[in-house]
Amino acid sequence: MLLETISLVRDLPRLHEISSVLIRYGGGDLVRRLGVGGLLERAGRVLYWKESVEMEHLDPAQRFRQALEELGPTFIKLGQILATRVDLFSPNWIAELEKLQSNAPALPFERLLPQIKAALKGLDPHAVFDNLNTTPRASASIAQVYEANLKDGTPIIIKVRRPGIEAMIEADLRIMSHIARLVEVEFPESRRYQPRQVVQQFAKSLRRELDLAAEARSIQRFGEKFAADETVLIPKVYWDYTSHSMNVQQRIDGIPGNKLLDADAAGLDRKQLADNGANAVLRMILLHGHFHADPHPGNVFYMPGNRIALVDFGMTGMLTHERRNQIADLLISILTKDEMGLLDVLLEWTGDSVVNETKLASDVIEFVFNYSSVHLKDISFGNLILELTAMIREHHLVMPSDLTLLFKTLITLEGMGRQLDPEFDMGAHAEPFVKEVLRLRYSPEAVMKRGAHSVKDMFSVLTGLPRDLAKFFKELRRGRVRIDIDVKRLERFGQQIDRTTNRLTIGIMTASLVIGSSIVMTIQGGPKIFGMPFLGFLGFLIAVVNSLWIVFSIWRAGKE
């Protein structure tokens, strides 16, 4: 554990700040068990271990959310990602994490000007753009957005990354990575939640969000897919001014998604808006396999003709063909009362997690029975997902990250649809897309393609078999064949045996020292200490130290 923390020395100031916030919000025990407090205090950075009195009335979810807010952009983003993990957190935690917002106090335009000039290859933005408004239209934790016009009068927005944000986020990610490792060591029960994997996925997502050119590429892909759709508007990207730290997009001057009364005043049809928005996102999910993962009202604008405009593509999700087929199988299994089909889908989703299949099958049967007489159009996706994830949490299973993002998107989409139209029916919108997925799966072209892949794989195996067998027998004759057996928890079991052997060895050595020292005590002459033979006294002293070490290690093992 000490070796894990030594590498954090370069991030000591930030680590001290994080530890202080955690202690103030009731996480002092976590800081102690991870050994971070000892490291900081040995480095001369004193921690105040008293929890704030103001926090005593808050429940754990509120404390956690407020601590993340105080820790800044990286941790706010982490909280927003955790808010998608409906398989890990109960609804009250999800509701609290959903309150996290990326809004941040705006930096003066002058602070961002050097970065804008660098992105424009040294040119003055006032010379490149017209009507550049130096008051930000929006200010988030990672970037700020400004309004301007191109020289031909086209309205645009300029999205600029905050200066210094990348270095701060990288420091936080290093600390998170180390903490995740320490958590798995100190809290074995946390391993089923895969904290290191969660941090790795989060780091990948956050680095992608830092790359504003990557966001621009996503916008362009969505724009191409919806180019012929008159109900959806995706902003255009202006690549001449777009880079890693800045992107320039078409400005959307519509009615924000949370201004429903303004939509009514403009004569827009709420029901049609809900239909168009749901169809767009479901098409992304089930047909394209690439979807806007944050379709909340702040990222949606209502346009004339009941058109929906989507902005901010920093967070997107990807689904493979296999995953889309699994989602279709899930819905079909519920409708056809196919408990085994649903069980197979859940087991595929949960991968290598240890599960009591008998108990899970019983819960699946009950779940399917509750929806057995319900038509797809009458199913509330929000309730279905919440019940499904509650069952997964009960069995301590962990879903793949792409599914948690998908489920969160569907819940957000249904909630927004209900705000526009109280009679909004997600199931009715999903039904034609599910049927299209099934039609595409069993279309002649898809069947022939799968058949061709199968024949190709089989031919590859058959043609390579003689060579592989010849190589195997050649290695066998030379005695080079090695069999690797990977048994779960075998490594931990080996570590326990190693520790036990060490204790036994020290115990035998201690007993030998006691016996040898007792014999030495009977011999006269030689150096003395406290009136006793020095070597005998030294032997007893080492034996006492060894005994204390054995007792402490046994006690520590019992606490793990």
Side-chain angles (χ1 to χ4, degrees):
M1 183 177 65
L2 180 59
L3 292 176
E4 292 286 347
T5 56
I6 286 175
S7 60
L8 294 173
V9 169
R10 61 174 168 170
D11 297 318
L12 276 176
R14 180 60 172 159
L15 185 60
H16 180 269
E17 181 183 354
I18 292 171
S19 301
S20 299
V21 171
L22 290 177
I23 292 168
R24 191 162 66 255
Y25 284 90
D29 184 59
L30 174 64
V31 174
R32 286 191 183 93
R33 290 193 62 176
L34 295 180
V36 175
L39 172 67
L40 287 169
E41 294 190 346
R42 282 193 296 274
R45 296 180 177 275
V46 178
L47 290 170
Y48 298 95
W49 292 91
K50 188 175 181 182
E51 178 185 339
S52 173
V53 177
E54 298 176 358
M55 309 302 167
E56 292 180 354
H57 69 284
L58 300 177
D59 64 38
Q62 290 175 316
R63 292 187 185 198
F64 185 60
R65 190 259 301 169
Q66 291 188 15
L68 294 179
E69 284 180 338
E70 190 167 334
L71 287 172
T74 313
F75 290 85
I76 290 173
K77 289 291 180 183
L78 176 63
Q80 291 173 342
I81 293 294
L82 293 179
T84 69
R85 299 306 301 260
V86 290
D87 59 320
L88 299 183
F89 295 96
S90 58
N92 66 306
W93 276 78
I94 295 294
E96 195 65 35
L97 290 171
E98 284 177 337
K99 297 177 183 177
L100 289 167
Q101 299 294 326
S102 294
N103 297 332
L107 293 176
F109 182 77
E110 291 71 22
R111 289 276 305 278
L112 281 80
L113 187 57
Q115 193 152 301
I116 298 174
K117 284 185 175 180
L120 295 174
K121 301 178 181 178
L123 298 176
D124 185 346
H126 292 282
V128 176
F129 306 112
D130 288 337
N131 303 322
L132 175 57
N133 187 350
T134 57
T135 300
R137 171 172 173 158
S139 177
S141 55
I142 288 179
Q144 292 186 184
V145 177
Y146 296 91
E147 296 180 350
N149 293 90
L150 296 180
K151 288 299 182 180
D152 63 3
T154 304
I156 59 167
I157 62 163
I158 304 170
K159 187 172 184 178
V160 189
R161 199 172 60 195
R162 285 173 171 254
I165 190 70
E166 193 169 18
M168 186 185 74
I169 285 177
E170 288 298 332
D172 285 347
L173 290 177
R174 286 194 298 270
I175 292 172
M176 282 184 185
S177 179
H178 284 285
I179 289 177
R181 292 192 190 97
L182 294 174
V183 164
E184 288 195 0
V185 172
E186 289 295 319
F187 303 92
E189 66 276 8
S190 71
R191 291 172 189 162
R192 67 170 181 263
Y193 300 120
Q194 303 170 332
R196 280 192 289 180
Q197 184 178 340
V198 169
V199 170
Q200 288 169 1
Q201 291 170 346
F202 168 66
K204 182 180 178 181
S205 173
L206 189 53
R207 289 188 180 112
R208 188 168 59 243
E209 194 168 348
L210 280 170
D211 185 357
L212 299 187
E215 179 188 356
R217 289 191 291 271
S218 289
I219 295 172
Q220 184 169 19
R221 282 192 289 268
F222 282 110
E224 291 169 354
K225 290 173 181 175
F226 286 93
D229 192 333
E230 295 296 329
T231 67
V232 180
L233 174 62
I234 307 294
K236 180 181 177 181
V237 176
Y238 296 94
W239 285 102
D240 290 343
Y241 314 107
T242 293
S243 64
H244 180 68
S245 60
M246 185 178 88
N247 68 41
V248 176
Q249 311 168 25
Q250 172 188 358
R251 188 166 77 226
I252 304 297
D253 292 320
I255 298 172
N258 55 357
K259 303 288 186 180
L260 299 183
L261 294 180
D262 291 351
D264 292 337
L268 301 181
D269 185 340
R270 286 197 191 187
K271 186 177 185 307
Q272 190 61 50
L273 289 171
D275 291 349
N276 291 342
N279 289 338
V281 178
L282 288 169
R283 180 177 161 189
M284 293 177 187
I285 292 170
L286 292 171
L287 299 185
H288 299 160
H290 184 204
F291 59 94
H292 191 302
D294 198 17
H296 64 74
N299 291 335
V300 176
F301 288 89
Y302 305 135
M303 310 294 290
N306 298 313
R307 201 177 189 190
I308 295 288
L310 295 172
V311 300
D312 193 355
F313 289 82
M315 185 184 294
T316 61
M318 298 288 291
L319 296 173
T320 62
H321 285 286
E322 181 182 7
R323 191 74 80 206
R324 282 175 270 163
N325 284 330
Q326 290 171 352
I327 296 166
D329 289 339
L330 172 75
L331 296 173
I332 296 301
S333 297
I334 293 172
L335 290 177
T336 59
K337 307 179 187 178
D338 181 5
E339 299 94 348
M340 293 309 299
L342 178 56
L343 181 61
D344 288 342
V345 172
L346 290 181
L347 291 177
E348 285 185 29
W349 284 354
T350 52
D352 297 330
S353 300
V354 179
V355 59
N356 183 338
E357 290 194 28
T358 303
K359 178 66 168 63
L360 180 60
S362 174
D363 289 345
V364 166
I365 291 171
E366 182 179 354
F367 177 81
V368 170
F369 177 78
N370 291 337
Y371 286 94
S372 60
S373 59
V374 182
H375 295 291
L376 182 60
K377 66 182 181 62
D378 296 324
I379 292 177
S380 167
F381 270 50
N383 291 337
L384 184 148
I385 290 171
L386 290 175
E387 289 183 32
L388 192 63
T389 51
M391 181 169 60
I392 289 173
R393 275 199 311 275
E394 183 181 348
H395 288 270
H396 305 296
L397 304 177
V398 180
M399 291 192 305
S401 58
D402 59 343
L403 280 174
T404 59
L405 200 57
L406 167 66
F407 284 179
K408 181 64 177 176
T409 300
L410 290 174
I411 291 173
T412 302
L413 180 63
E414 185 173 49
M416 189 172 176
R418 292 276 168 86
Q419 287 181 348
L420 285 166
D421 177 15
E423 297 181 357
F424 176 76
D425 187 351
M426 177 73 96
H429 288 84
E431 187 169 12
F433 291 101
V434 172
K435 290 179 178 178
E436 180 66 12
V437 170
L438 295 175
R439 186 192 69 78
L440 292 173
R441 184 197 301 183
Y442 298 113
S443 66
E445 296 84 359
V447 172
M448 288 179 63
K449 188 175 181 180
R450 288 197 297 272
H453 279 298
S454 298
V455 170
K456 182 180 177 181
D457 291 342
M458 185 179 297
F459 182 75
S460 177
V461 171
L462 291 176
T463 55
L465 187 60
R467 184 179 65 255
D468 292 339
L469 285 174
K471 184 178 179 181
F472 171 76
F473 284 117
K474 187 181 293 184
E475 295 296 319
L476 187 63
R477 284 197 305 269
R478 295 174 179 174
R480 295 179 181 176
V481 175
R482 187 182 69 181
I483 299 175
D484 292 329
I485 300 176
D486 184 10
V487 181
K488 286 184 178 180
R489 304 184 186 277
L490 185 60
E491 183 180 352
R492 182 171 175 79
F493 178 65
Q495 292 171 350
Q496 290 174 339
I497 291 179
D498 187 52
R499 286 198 296 267
T500 302
T501 304
N502 290 341
R503 291 178 200 147
L504 181 61
T505 302
I506 296 295
I508 294 172
M509 290 174 60
T510 302
S512 301
L513 280 170
V514 170
I515 295 172
S517 299
S518 299
I519 295 172
V520 171
M521 285 291 189
T522 63
I523 299 174
Q524 299 299 320
K528 303 279 186 178
I529 184 172
F530 302 123
M532 296 178 287
F534 174 75
L535 292 178
F537 177 81
L538 181 62
F540 278 124
L541 182 62
I542 295 173
V544 169
V545 172
N546 288 348
S547 300
L548 291 174
W549 181 86
I550 292 172
V551 171
F552 175 76
S553 65
I554 293 172
W555 173 81
R556 183 181 176 84
K559 299 288 285 183
E560 293 182 356

